[in-house]
Amino acid sequence: MLSRWMARQLGRPEGLGGRLVARIMNRSNAAMNRRAITLLEVHASHEVLEVGFGGGLALDPLLALVGTGRVTGVEP
């Protein structure tokens, strides 16, 4: 029952549980997101597509780097 609830929250978070799951995922993915942004070598005027951005933790750092470029987030 708990695993079914968690699967629902991961697939389509809602309510207090969804906010909790997003916070946990953001915390656990933070280092990986920072590393990916570094490896991408994003610069001003670049266009970046973030697929499955979850809690959106990587969006602000990407926006700060692209300057005149564009960041687009798509969340299935």
Side-chain angles (χ1 to χ4, degrees), residues 25-40 57-58:
M25 289 183 66
N26 280 344
R27 185 173 291 150
S28 64
N29 293 334
M32 179 177 53
N33 285 338
R34 284 191 302 272
R35 181 71 175 140
I37 291 168
T38 299
L39 291 172
L40 287 172
L57 191 65

Side-chain angles (χ1 to χ4, degrees), residues 4-76:
R4 197 175 314 164
W5 175 85
M6 182 62 90
R8 272 196 320 270
Q9 290 301 329
L10 290 170
R12 190 171 192 180
E14 60 184 20
L16 180 60
R19 289 192 295 277
L20 177 63
V21 168
R23 177 173 258 164
I24 291 167
M25 289 183 66
N26 280 344
R27 185 173 291 150
S28 64
N29 293 334
M32 179 177 53
N33 285 338
R34 284 191 302 272
R35 181 71 175 140
I37 291 168
T38 299
L39 291 172
L40 287 172
E41 298 180 359
V42 177
H43 297 287
S45 80
H46 280 181
E47 294 186 12
V48 179
L49 174 63
E50 167 69 298
V51 178
F53 61 85
L57 191 65
L59 296 176
D60 282 341
L62 286 169
L63 286 166
L65 292 171
V66 297
T68 60
R70 177 175 32 192
V71 175
T72 303
V74 178
E75 181 64 47

